[in-house]
Amino acid sequence: MFTGPATVEMDDVAEPEPAEDEVLVHVRSAGICGSELHGVRTPGFRIPPLVMGHEFAGVTDDGTSVTVNPILSCGTCDLCRGGLRQVCRDRRIIGVHLPGGFAERVAVPRSALHKLPDDMSWEAAAVIEPAANAVHAWRLADVAPGARVGVIGAGAIGLVCVLAAAGEETASIAVADRSPERRRIAAKLGATTVAGELTGEFDVVFDAVGSSDTHEQSVRLLRPGGVAIWLGLAGAEAGFDATVLVRTEKRVLGSFAYTNAEFERAVDLVGGWGLGWTASYPLESGAEIFTDLMRGGSHPVKAILRP
């Protein structure tokens, strides 16, 4: 549980009681997201006390293996009707506004369930939600075949961006990260070049960090007319000269979550991806693992809690 600023603890809570339109999910795997580490360090979007966890999968009472799309939208507004339910003004997110998957059991709306393939591992199932973010970001980039792709940050979101790009007709995929180990993983997953910092010129740059420095890099390294896709949430400052966008027609697009179709696409993709960069831990170790990552620990890239 997120119990206060920079604090997560193990606790016992009341059993969830599903409403008429909800289903009880017995959690089998739940990934720790970088946005949760940031959110606990600087509370605001998430308000304690809260059982977090929005990247999770499990089994229903009837034995069906499912993953959960944590984005809950109103379904009736102009944005939802236009296929933009992920930015619905009244959206709620399981694990952010409602109890999430860092628990043995959680009640979720029946409409949020997606059946899993019979042969999918629980570790892969926990990566579906971040993978859907990468599918959405790639669609937003809308680049032509042969694109030169840059990725800043080889955390989980950066790596799934590499995997998404590697499945397309790209000319090159360059990845920057301070960690030699994460650069090694990125190269293994399909990056053509890895370094501590991006150099060169790119058609699209995915910023999976989100600091003012990486914002500036993502724009500076674009070709005229190129597009920077921002997924990271490390800082609020833009960090660049906005007149550059006018003079070179560069574009900056925020990328938040995914559509239903993109979530389904992620279900299809992750079974074929290499996921050796994930590591599983018992739920009982969750507070310790979470706190270490929050304080700057870099291993594992993706921690998955297993009740």
Side-chain angles (χ1 to χ4, degrees), residues 262-273:
E262 289 159 348
F263 193 90
E264 288 284 3
R265 176 61 177 154
V267 174
D268 294 335
L269 286 174
V270 295
W273 284 357

Side-chain angles (χ1 to χ4, degrees), residues 23-94:
V23 173
L24 191 68
V25 174
H26 302 262
V27 180
R28 293 292 182 263
S29 61
I32 295 177
C33 179
S35 68
E36 291 167 327
L37 304 176
H38 174 74
V40 169
R41 282 192 299 261
T42 56
F45 194 55
R46 295 168 176 82
I47 300 174
L50 173 70
V51 178
M52 296 187 298
H54 60 271
E55 306 174 353
F56 67 100
V59 178
T60 60
D61 281 339
D62 66 2
T64 303
S65 297
V66 296
T67 185
V68 176
N69 182 336
I71 307 293
L72 308 179
S73 60
C74 75
T76 59
C77 70
D78 57 333
L79 295 171
C80 288
R81 294 195 309 272
L84 297 172
R85 65 182 297 273
Q86 75 276 12
V87 290
C88 171
R89 299 175 188 87
D90 296 319
R91 74 176 179 226
R92 295 180 302 159
I93 305 173
I94 298 171

Side-chain angles (χ1 to χ4, degrees), residues 211-226:
S211 69
S212 59
D213 287 344
T214 59
H215 286 160
E216 186 276 332
Q217 292 172 40
S218 71
V219 173
R220 173 168 46 85
L221 297 175
L222 288 175
R223 64 160 172 81

Side-chain angles (χ1 to χ4, degrees), residues 128-259:
I128 288 170
E129 197 279 342
N133 281 271
V135 173
H136 181 65
W138 183 262
R139 184 187 63 80
L140 285 178
D142 192 27
V143 292
R148 297 163 298 173
V149 176
V151 178
I152 304 176
I157 290 295
L159 292 180
V160 291
C161 284
V162 171
L163 285 161
E168 303 291 339
E169 297 177 10
T170 57
S172 60
I173 305 170
V175 177
D177 196 279
R178 294 174 180 174
S179 164
E181 174 62 16
R182 293 190 177 197
R183 294 199 297 268
R184 183 192 68 78
I185 295 170
K188 187 175 181 180
L189 295 181
T192 49
T193 60
V194 294
E197 186 171 321
L198 284 187
T199 58
E201 185 179 72
F202 300 92
D203 300 295
V204 57
V205 176
F206 296 96
D207 180 2
V209 177
S211 69
S212 59
D213 287 344
T214 59
H215 286 160
E216 186 276 332
Q217 292 172 40
S218 71
V219 173
R220 173 168 46 85
L221 297 175
L222 288 175
R223 64 160 172 81
V227 57
I229 305 293
W230 290 0
L231 300 94
L233 294 165
E237 298 301 319
F240 65 91
D241 180 355
T243 63
V244 170
L245 301 185
V246 178
R247 295 192 175 101
T248 61
E249 289 197 354
K250 296 178 180 180
R251 294 176 294 144
V252 175
L253 295 176
S255 180
F256 182 82
Y258 33 76
T259 65

Side-chain angles (χ1 to χ4, degrees), residues 1-9 40-41 43 48 52 287 290-291 294:
M1 288 192 71
F2 172 27
T3 56
T7 305
V8 291
E9 303 173 280
V40 169
R41 282 192 299 261
M52 296 187 298
F290 191 104
T291 300
M294 181 177 60

Side-chain angles (χ1 to χ4, degrees), residues 288-301:
E288 177 185 354
I289 298 298
F290 191 104
T291 300
D292 180 66
L293 292 170
M294 181 177 60
R295 291 176 177 172
S298 60
H299 181 79
V301 177

